[in-house]
Amino acid sequence: MITPFQKYEFFYIALIDDKIENALKNIDSILSKDTKKIEYLRKSQIDFSLICDQSMLDYRGTGKFLLFEPTMNTNQTVFFVNQRDGWSSLLHIYANKYKKRVVKVGFTMNRSIDSAGYFFDYLYYNKEDQFQERCIYLIKDPKWKFYENSEKTVYLSFENPEYYKSKRKLERFNNDIIFEYLNKIGFDVNNPYFFETKKEVIYANYVDKN
């Protein structure tokens, strides 16, 4: 199977701390309040080309997404969408409404593209039951810019803030650092076996209602 690291120049994936049955029900509930409808297809295999068959994800057009529960991470759901914003609003609503951790990451496999960037967005509730977001990214606009979402940052336990002090911006944040952080919280997404599942894969088209 071709993984998104082999197929796309840039892409987002989100990791939802919920089993796929709940994720499907909750996402359907959130999107049902919109003016569009969702058409579902269930298959036994993961095929990213059914969501986007070109190397660059769409900015516009018909929204498509897939959900699967990795065999390596049971009771966790991977969300992949064909649009460039990664559907951040949906993921924020999910994490906030259902009090589930959601980690959205963006990988660049071709640094020469105009919209290259590396993204890490960690949505969760803390011990005081307060909704929190930790956001780190490096984006080319047109020069490389590094960003954290707070000047008074409380670093998460798996972060290495020494990276962020590097003079070279491409050493402050990159694919390898994202891999490292994800591994520390239990997601080996760089392993091809991560993209295998024993459950049904959910494919969805987000289309206008008739």
Side-chain angles (χ1 to χ4, degrees), residues 46-157:
I46 300 167
D47 184 355
F48 288 94
S49 66
L50 295 178
I51 303 302
C52 181
D53 61 0
Q54 56 191 20
S55 63
M56 288 294 292
L57 301 184
D58 295 332
Y59 281 99
R60 301 176 185 85
T62 300
K64 298 181 180 182
F65 64 89
L66 69 77
L67 301 170
F68 72 92
E69 187 174 304
T71 303
M72 294 174 61
N73 294 87
T74 56
N75 298 321
Q76 306 284 328
T77 299
V78 174
F79 173 85
F80 176 86
V81 67
N82 68 332
Q83 296 185 334
R84 284 278 307 182
D85 65 352
W87 282 15
S88 293
S89 296
L90 169 71
L91 297 171
H92 275 75
I93 293 170
Y94 194 110
N96 200 345
K97 181 176 182 179
Y98 299 108
K99 294 191 174 183
K100 296 291 185 179
R101 183 188 68 181
V102 175
V103 185
K104 189 185 82 169
V105 291
F107 294 97
T108 287
M109 310 310 293
N110 179 4
R111 289 180 178 174
S112 68
I113 61 175
D114 292 338
S115 52
Y118 306 91
F119 299 85
F120 190 92
D121 201 7
Y122 194 88
L123 310 169
Y124 67 107
Y125 273 81
N126 63 17
K127 293 179 180 179
E128 289 74 38
D129 201 34
Q130 299 169 324
F131 182 69
Q132 302 286 304
E133 177 180 12
R134 173 69 174 131
C135 179
I136 314 160
Y137 66 72
L138 181 72
I139 188 170
K140 189 166 70 171
D141 184 32
K143 295 183 178 180
W144 289 102
K145 296 179 181 179
F146 177 75
Y147 172 82
E148 296 180 80
N149 65 325
S150 175
E151 294 180 0
K152 298 179 180 179
T153 299
V154 178
Y155 296 115
L156 298 170
S157 60

Side-chain angles (χ1 to χ4, degrees), residues 12-25:
Y12 280 110
I13 58 172
L15 309 165
I16 301 172
D17 186 17
D18 217 343
K19 60 185 180 180
I20 191 168
E21 295 84 1
N22 290 343
L24 175 60
K25 178 183 67 175

Side-chain angles (χ1 to χ4, degrees), residues 145-198:
K145 296 179 181 179
F146 177 75
Y147 172 82
E148 296 180 80
N149 65 325
S150 175
E151 294 180 0
K152 298 179 180 179
T153 299
V154 178
Y155 296 115
L156 298 170
S157 60
F158 53 81
E159 287 187 67
N160 183 351
E162 292 301 312
Y163 291 141
Y164 315 149
K165 301 175 184 178
S166 176
K167 290 184 179 180
R168 290 194 71 245
K169 290 182 179 178
L170 283 168
E171 293 178 356
R172 294 184 194 178
F173 207 62
N174 52 49
N175 286 344
D176 288 337
I177 295 173
I178 298 172
F179 289 141
E180 177 186 322
Y181 289 178
L182 290 178
N183 267 283
K184 287 181 177 179
I185 59 175
F187 295 101
D188 188 9
V189 300
N190 201 27
N191 185 333
Y193 292 109
F194 179 82
F195 297 96
E196 293 186 358
T197 183
K198 293 180 180 179

